[in-house]
Amino acid sequence: MRAATAVLMLGCLLAPFSLARADDCQSVADAYDRLSKVPAYRQVAALAGAPLMEAVIVGDVMYVKHGAKWTKMPLGPGGRVEMQKQVIPGASSLKDCRHVGPETVQGKNAVAYDYTPPPMPGAVDFDPQRVWIAVDSGLPIRMTSKQQKTEVVISFDNVVAPIP
C-alpha cells in the first residue's frame, strides 16, 4: 500500500514537468508547421561559421544556391508541407524538448527551445538542436546544432525568387 501511495505521489510531483515538456514539443512542432505554410522565406546555413547553403522558398518552389549558381526545384502543390511533415511529423516525434527562455535574435523577441528531431530514414540520427521562435509570428528564425556545428538563419522580409 505504501509503495502504491509513493508511486502516486511521485507521479503527481512529476506530472507538471512532463506536461511542460509535451507543451514545449508542441511549440517547436507548431513553429515548423507554420514555416511550411508561409508565402516565402530565405534560409542561410553555415557549418562551423563557414557558409554552407542558401535557399529561398517561394510558394512550392525551392531555390538552392550552389556556389554562385541558383537551381530551381519545384516541389509541387503542397510539397513544402509534405517535406516538413517528413522531417517533423508532429510533436510526439520530438524528444527532450525544453523551454530555454526568452532571447533577442535578429532584433526580434524570441523564445529558445532545445529539442532532438526524429531520425530520418537512411540518415544519421540528429543531435540535440536549439530553435529560436519569434514571439510576434511564432516562426523559427534561427536554429543551431552544437555537435554538427551548424547554424541556420531564416528571414521573411522582401523574399523573392532569385531566378525565373
Side-chain angles (χ1 to χ4, degrees), residues 11-32:
C12 290
L13 289 171
L14 294 177
F17 296 109
S18 62
L19 288 175
R21 182 166 287 165
D23 289 347
D24 293 345
C25 286
Q26 190 64 57
S27 295
V28 172
D30 288 348
Y32 285 112

Side-chain angles (χ1 to χ4, degrees), residues 81-96:
V81 172
E82 184 179 314
M83 189 170 60
Q84 183 58 50
K85 287 297 182 190
Q86 289 177 1
V87 177
I88 299 177
S92 64
S93 69
L94 301 173
K95 304 293 180 232
D96 305 321

Side-chain angles (χ1 to χ4, degrees), residues 26 113 144 154 163:
Q26 190 64 57
Y113 291 89
T144 61
I154 302 174
I163 59 174

Side-chain angles (χ1 to χ4, degrees), residues 20-142:
R21 182 166 287 165
D23 289 347
D24 293 345
C25 286
Q26 190 64 57
S27 295
V28 172
D30 288 348
Y32 285 112
D33 187 53
R34 281 186 205 92
L35 181 65
S36 73
K37 296 172 184 168
V38 296
Y41 66 94
R42 173 184 304 276
Q43 71 179 40
V44 178
L47 177 63
L52 178 64
M53 181 195 81
E54 183 175 354
V56 172
I57 293 82
V58 178
D60 283 321
V61 179
M62 181 177 356
Y63 303 85
V64 180
K65 189 175 186 181
H66 299 282
K69 184 180 178 189
W70 286 95
T71 303
K72 182 177 181 178
M73 301 170 53
L75 302 173
R80 282 177 48 204
V81 172
E82 184 179 314
M83 189 170 60
Q84 183 58 50
K85 287 297 182 190
Q86 289 177 1
V87 177
I88 299 177
S92 64
S93 69
L94 301 173
K95 304 293 180 232
D96 305 321
C97 301
R98 184 175 65 85
H99 177 270
V100 177
E103 293 187 31
T104 301
V105 176
Q106 303 171 28
K108 296 181 180 184
N109 293 328
V111 178
Y113 291 89
D114 288 340
Y115 69 99
T116 302
M120 297 276 304
V124 297
D125 288 353
F126 289 109
D127 62 320
Q129 300 187 17
R130 180 167 288 176
V131 62
W132 287 262
I133 300 171
V135 172
D136 63 347
S137 65
L139 292 164
I141 54 175
R142 182 175 180 229

